[in-house]
Amino acid sequence: MSISPSVQATPEARELSVIFNRADRIFRRIVTAGALTSLILLGLIGTFLFVRSAQIFNDRGLKFITGSNWTAGSGDGIIPDDFSIGPMLTGTILVSVIALVISMPLAIGGALFVEFYATPKVRRVLTTLLDLAAAIPSLIFGIWGVVFFSSYGERWSDLLNSRFGWLPFIKVQNEVFGRSPFVAGCVLASLITPIITSVSREVFSRTPRDLVDTCYALGGTRWGAIKTVVLPFGKSGVIGGAMLGLGRALGETVAVYLLLNIVFRYNFRILESEGGNIASLIALKFGEATEYELKALVAAGFVLFLLTLVVNMVAASIVERSTRRR
Amino acid sequence: MSQTVQTSVTSVDGEQGEPKVVRGLEAKNIHAWFGKHHVLKDVSLRFPERTVTGLIGPSGCGKSTFIRLLNRMHEFIPGAAMAGQVLQDGHDIYSPEVDAAAIRLKVGMVFQKPNPFPAMNIRENVLSGIKLAHLKVADHDAIVESCLTRAGLWKEVKDRLTATGGSLSGGQQQRLCIARSLAVEPSVLLMDEPCSALDPGSTLRIEETIKELVEKIAVVIVTHNMQQAARVSDFCAFFLADGGPGYLVEADATKKLFTNPSDTRTADYVQGKFG
């Protein structure tokens, strides 16, 4: 683009070669293999699910996702098969969102308490307990949730309904509480709160000490330091933790299976005793499914798989954006 | 080993007689521990108003611990304990009824590493202390301008007050941190090796800033750089820890301490024979 003839052309950037020694080469192969394995597994799972369910998407197209019926046909063609997962898909999202809304304040509050208000001794004990709770199998939570929340959940639901019944998504048609998406959300919340708390606490504890000190040195209180430094610093990590929890909630099977009356109807009223999610649908129908129905279930699994992928990708981009701004 | 910086006046307790009465900050027989570890032994020092006091001494002799005791930052370290008194205008800042946050407003602090709040722009950084301490202020713009001016940064940043603090150079960031400390109007500013992460040019700017600050407030600066102590401070205190807890060897007017110290260890240290 230059007008004047270039006498001394800018030299090309030189190629820089790297020599790995033997130990480096071997280690490099091991870690590369590790990284590839998870990618390949993900690809294989996706492919398997898609291949096994291709016929369903072919037969039913978008209706598989939007329709609200799950009827096995009579086999002779008089009553046709009609499989679609609309209400289960929305139910999955609904229950997970309820769980997240309940657990986020608990988790962030808990993490801040452990990191900034608890005495060192209490902090050590709580940290261990939290990490332990994050590893408890969801079945345990499911059983406990059924016992605990079927009584308390009813009372809370009643209270919610009488105070906030004017909100369209809280209003109920008949006042029978329990076994509602709200109760299932409560159980899921108690299931995912430990992991979100654990991750948040870890992130909060990484806040640069001198920034926190600066807040105190400026006459700030603990809460001031948390608001000014800790929360902005930990934001992306907390989002990451929330996504871990959300991923667990989206795929949660047993707790929802035990708690919800699986009803194939679009339901956005969180106190209504009906609902379901994809994972619980699969658990419910898998045992007695016909060959075609099995394919439909695999297709449902494929949708769930995609949903988690999308959620994780969105989360990753949120995290990236919030860290890049800094 | 308790000595007091020599000043013209010895009375404290807020008596206001002649105009040169020392109000300011005074440490009396300070000890400090981390757990069972005794790190500071019987240090007494006075910091008169409108003076710069340099704290010098080899690493690990308790200088930083000492200045963190002066604005009650010491207690944030788990296991930290102290004995003795720190008097601000004659009042013990460690009395049970004293609000530590209020003390820190009066005795500000600048840290070793420049650390503007990353989520805030330059203007917000300057005003952050006011927000943190819930101070009522009429004119925010005036405060931003006066603090940045006193910190010697106004001319460089006045056209980009909304840029993040991180976009500044290291030296500018440190001056921003100084401006941030000034916004809550402290009467003493503690500086813990404020230039150790900066290049010589930026260091010089900070030193000029310190000389201007001292027209209004007292500055206490910890430094490993003896030339710096000689350049900026009016008084100097030499700390040492030979195996045990750190203690104050000698405190005097800077000129005297550097040219004619009373202790041979001070002489050896300022001449660079150890440390």
Side-chain angles (χ1 to χ4, degrees), chain A residues 19-84:
Chain A
I19 295 172
F20 290 107
N21 69 19
R22 199 160 146 260
D24 247 346
R25 270 202 309 277
I26 293 171
F27 186 68
R28 192 158 173 249
R29 271 183 214 142
I30 293 172
V31 290
T32 313
L36 279 180
T37 307
S38 49
L39 262 183
I40 291 169
L41 268 177
L42 195 69
L44 281 178
I45 292 169
T47 319
F48 167 84
L49 289 174
F50 183 70
V51 169
R52 288 296 181 89
S53 57
Q55 195 190 343
I56 300 290
F57 291 111
N58 210 14
D59 289 355
R60 306 195 44 87
L62 257 188
K63 224 182 144 239
F64 179 71
I65 291 177
T66 54
S68 56
N69 245 324
W70 192 278
T71 324
S74 52
D76 48 16
I78 297 170
I79 306 172
D81 281 322
D82 184 11
F83 297 124
S84 50

Side-chain angles (χ1 to χ4, degrees), chain A residues 242-280:
Chain A
M243 289 307 137
L244 266 180
L246 183 60
R248 235 185 133 174
L250 285 173
E252 182 44 41
T253 315
V254 180
V256 177
Y257 177 73
L258 292 176
L259 262 163
L260 271 179
N261 297 321
I262 295 180
V263 176
F264 261 84
R265 191 160 46 205
Y266 280 111
N267 171 29
F268 295 102
R269 297 197 185 93
I270 63 173
L271 299 181
E272 206 75 60
S273 321
E274 57 183 58
N277 72 359
I278 294 179
S280 65

Side-chain angles (χ1 to χ4, degrees), chain A residues 210 213-214 216-217 228-229, chain B residues 68 73 104 115 120 132 180:
Chain A
D210 63 327
D213 273 357
T214 301
Y216 294 142
T228 311
V229 170
Chain B
R68 287 176 69 92
M73 294 294 288
R104 294 185 201 111
N115 60 353
M120 297 182 191
L132 273 163
R180 177 174 65 184

Side-chain angles (χ1 to χ4, degrees), chain A residues 175-203:
Chain A
E175 301 204 347
V176 183
F177 301 111
R179 296 196 162 260
S180 62
F182 171 70
V183 174
C186 285
V187 176
L188 284 193
S190 54
L191 187 104
I192 64 176
T193 301
I195 181 102
I196 304 179
T197 314
S198 184
V199 172
S200 305
R201 189 204 61 75
E202 184 68 36
V203 182

Side-chain angles (χ1 to χ4, degrees), chain B residues 66-219:
Chain B
F66 178 67
I67 69 162
R68 287 176 69 92
L69 273 154
L70 297 178
N71 69 341
R72 295 196 56 173
M73 294 294 288
H74 179 62
E75 61 212 60
F76 286 117
I77 298 164
M82 63 84 67
Q85 283 184 314
V86 177
L87 304 175
Q88 201 215 1
D89 295 345
H91 300 289
D92 184 6
I93 67 169
Y94 283 91
S95 298
E97 78 279 0
V98 169
D99 175 11
I103 292 301
R104 294 185 201 111
L105 277 178
K106 286 285 135 210
V107 187
M109 192 166 211
V110 171
F111 295 83
Q112 186 169 357
K113 222 180 78 197
N115 60 353
F117 293 127
M120 297 182 191
N121 63 37
I122 293 172
R123 186 188 143 85
E124 289 164 345
N125 259 291
V126 176
L127 295 172
S128 58
I130 287 165
K131 215 169 143 194
L132 273 163
H134 303 290
L135 301 179
K136 296 267 180 302
V137 185
D139 190 349
H140 286 86
D141 292 330
I143 288 192
V144 172
E145 178 170 352
S146 78
C147 292
L148 285 171
T149 307
R150 285 172 75 192
L153 191 61
W154 175 249
K155 280 182 192 147
E156 292 156 62
V157 300
K158 66 177 180 216
D159 299 321
R160 46 172 178 150
L161 292 174
T162 51
T164 61
S167 66
L168 300 173
S169 76
Q172 289 174 323
Q173 287 187 22
Q174 193 62 304
R175 277 179 279 148
L176 176 58
C177 294
I178 294 174
R180 177 174 65 184
S181 307
L182 295 176
V184 296
E185 297 187 348
S187 53
V188 182
L189 191 59
L190 310 172
M191 304 176 111
D192 191 356
E193 297 184 44
C195 302
S196 63
L198 304 180
D199 62 276
S202 303
T203 301
L204 203 67
R205 295 296 311 274
I206 302 271
E207 289 176 9
E208 283 165 8
T209 304
I210 292 172
K211 283 177 189 153
E212 278 159 35
L213 290 181
V214 85
E215 288 168 13
K216 282 190 178 167
I217 63 175
V219 174

Side-chain angles (χ1 to χ4, degrees), chain A residues 62-135:
Chain A
L62 257 188
K63 224 182 144 239
F64 179 71
I65 291 177
T66 54
S68 56
N69 245 324
W70 192 278
T71 324
S74 52
D76 48 16
I78 297 170
I79 306 172
D81 281 322
D82 184 11
F83 297 124
S84 50
I85 55 161
M88 294 300 114
L89 185 59
T90 56
T92 305
I93 296 168
L94 181 68
V95 173
S96 305
V97 167
I98 294 170
L100 211 56
V101 167
I102 296 172
S103 65
M104 283 309 283
L106 288 176
I108 294 174
L112 288 174
F113 170 76
V114 173
E115 206 48 43
F116 291 95
Y117 290 89
T119 59
K121 211 178 207 170
V122 173
R123 179 183 316 153
R124 264 198 304 279
V125 173
L126 280 180
T127 305
T128 317
L129 279 180
L130 273 173
D131 292 344
L132 215 75

